[in-house]
Amino acid sequence: MYSLNLLLLMGINLAKHLLEEKVPSEVRLWRAVIVVAFEDVSSDSLNKIDAYRKKEAHTWLLGKSKDFEQVCYYAEIDPEFVKDRYQWLRDQGSVKFTRIQRLWLEYRACYRVYRGTLTKEQRSRIMARIKWVKSKIEELKK
């Protein structure tokens, strides 16, 4: 059902809760949302979309949104327990962003700024940075 590496990453206590079968199907559904977030943050993919998903899951697992707390409560798991486990993994270096993933995130941020920029000079400067980031990604992929 889940990879051994993912279960090890989540830890015995969290994995035990998430894999418990004698819970209603809607609870299992919400637990799957948490598992997907852990899958996303554990990805080392070079793909742009995977880097974006990793960042979103990272932010979500830090537990600063009502959405995170609601999902945990629906999953019948203490949100602090999930957040603490994620922070521990991050502090231990088990979850980290690769150089290419960080560049993809910079690429996205530059494009957001680019879209909101009004002057031609600013757009030109930002586009130069976007092109540099893209070239660096291509270089690192080789």
Side-chain angles (χ1 to χ4, degrees):
M1 182 172 181
Y2 301 114
S3 77
L4 182 58
N5 287 338
L6 179 62
L7 295 174
L8 290 172
L9 184 72
M10 290 186 300
I12 293 171
N13 291 330
L14 183 56
K16 184 176 74 173
H17 282 312
L18 293 170
L19 295 175
E20 186 181 0
E21 291 185 16
K22 294 188 179 187
V23 294
S25 57
E26 62 270 10
V27 172
R28 284 196 313 272
L29 172 70
W30 292 111
R31 288 179 179 183
V33 171
I34 296 169
V35 170
V36 168
F38 274 93
E39 286 176 338
D40 288 347
V41 295
S42 67
S43 172
D44 285 332
S45 172
L46 305 179
N47 182 294
K48 173 173 55 171
I49 300 301
D50 291 340
Y52 298 165
R53 284 187 184 131
K54 183 172 187 165
K55 176 63 175 170
E56 290 167 5
H58 164 79
T59 302
W60 189 77
L61 283 167
L62 290 175
K64 296 180 180 173
S65 70
K66 278 215 172 278
D67 178 55
F68 171 78
E69 289 182 8
Q70 281 186 313
V71 168
C72 289
Y73 288 129
Y74 293 154
E76 297 179 355
I77 298 175
D78 180 13
E80 288 301 313
F81 181 64
V82 176
K83 183 173 70 169
D84 289 347
R85 179 62 187 177
Y86 179 64
Q87 288 176 330
W88 183 84
L89 289 168
R90 195 182 60 173
D91 293 345
Q92 298 299 312
S94 297
V95 173
K96 57 186 172 246
F97 287 84
T98 66
R99 174 85 168 116
I100 290 178
Q101 289 170 336
R102 289 191 310 271
L103 285 167
W104 277 126
L105 296 174
E106 181 180 350
Y107 178 86
R108 182 187 210 183
C110 286
Y111 254 110
R112 286 180 174 163
V113 171
Y114 178 81
R115 284 189 219 107
T117 303
L118 300 177
T119 69
K120 189 174 184 176
E121 295 81 28
Q122 288 174 328
R123 289 176 76 89
S124 177
R125 234 177 321 123
I126 295 167
M127 184 51 72
R129 181 65 183 182
I130 289 169
K131 288 178 180 178
W132 179 87
V133 169
K134 182 72 170 169
S135 71
K136 202 60 155 160
I137 290 169
E138 295 304 319
E139 179 184 309
L140 290 170
K141 280 185 172 181
K142 292 179 184 176

